[in-house]
Amino acid sequence: AQSVTQLDSHVSVSEGTPVLLRCNYSSSYSPSLFWYVQHPNKGLQLLLKYTSAATLVKGINGFEAEFKKSETSFHLTKPSAHMSDAAEYFCVVSPEGNTPLVFGKGTRLSVIA
Amino acid sequence: NAGVMQNPRHLVRRRGQEARLRCSPMKGHSHVYWYRQLPEEGLKFMVYLQKENIIDESGMPKERFSAEFPKEGPSILRIQQVVRGDSAAYFCASSLAARTRTGPPSYEQYFGPGTRLTVT
């Protein structure tokens, strides 16, 4: 069975400081991993994805994530937070092929001016 | 190229009424997924359909919920005799049918804006 654990339900950072959103996964197969962002009352936007190519994945808006198989982690980072980054972030695993995505419970990121 | 479209965006129903949620996938996509997001939670898979076929409905409640993806037209998620606990955001996603030529397949799912159902 596949599962995703987002270690923090809420992260608060000051504008201009680094962001770290933690995610651990469990999968029987070589998974595809994703980070999605959801702004209030909006749909989901794909930030970045890992599909067994480079382990360091760069996404949109300055976000990146590193796949670490030994730690079964896929943490999301950004060097400098912006007010517009305040949103809900979901770590997602896709076991293989056209299968349903498995979502973490989400991490709410707050950015303080 | 239009993205995944869902309508209505907001739907209010009284207890006992029926709710019909529509999803038009991206052009060229023949795989549709429905997810439900309860307040303060992540998305939970409900059902996976291809044209005229239900592939996986393991996440769908056994009663009152049904889904279809006809040969022509949008995918429909239908909830009969709605109850307050059905209040949630319902998201549809679509993906390609074929593997990519180079590299591992990603089967990226593209999400619609969601339908927010409120049962009063």
Side-chain angles (χ1 to χ4, degrees), chain B residues 104-119:
Chain B
S106 65
Y107 297 108
E108 182 178 332
Q109 294 183 21
Y110 294 82
F111 282 82
T115 294
R116 278 159 181 82
L117 172 66
T118 302
V119 180

Side-chain angles (χ1 to χ4, degrees), chain B residues 54-80:
Chain B
I54 295 175
I55 307 301
D56 181 352
E57 55 181 349
S58 59
M60 198 131 84
K62 293 285 184 277
E63 297 177 352
R64 302 188 297 109
F65 285 72
S66 62
E68 63 177 10
F69 189 17
K71 189 176 179 182
E72 301 290 338
S75 175
I76 307 282
L77 179 68
R78 186 164 77 147
I79 312 172
Q80 295 177 294

Side-chain angles (χ1 to χ4, degrees), chain A residues 32 34 36 38 41-44 46 49 51-52 90 96-101 103-105, chain B residues 31 33 35 37 41-43 45 48 56 91 95-96 104 106-109 111-113 116:
Chain A
S32 294
F34 308 81
Y36 283 86
Q38 183 182 30
N41 297 316
K42 296 284 176 65
L44 290 105
L46 180 67
K49 61 183 177 183
T51 55
S52 74
F90 294 99
E96 62 173 0
N98 265 341
T99 55
L101 300 177
F103 281 74
K105 290 191 173 182
Chain B
H31 296 247
Y33 306 78
Y35 296 84
Q37 183 181 30
E41 291 191 18
L43 279 71
F45 164 73
Y48 164 34
D56 181 352
F91 289 94
S95 68
L96 282 170
S106 65
Y107 297 108
E108 182 178 332
Q109 294 183 21
F111 282 82
R116 278 159 181 82

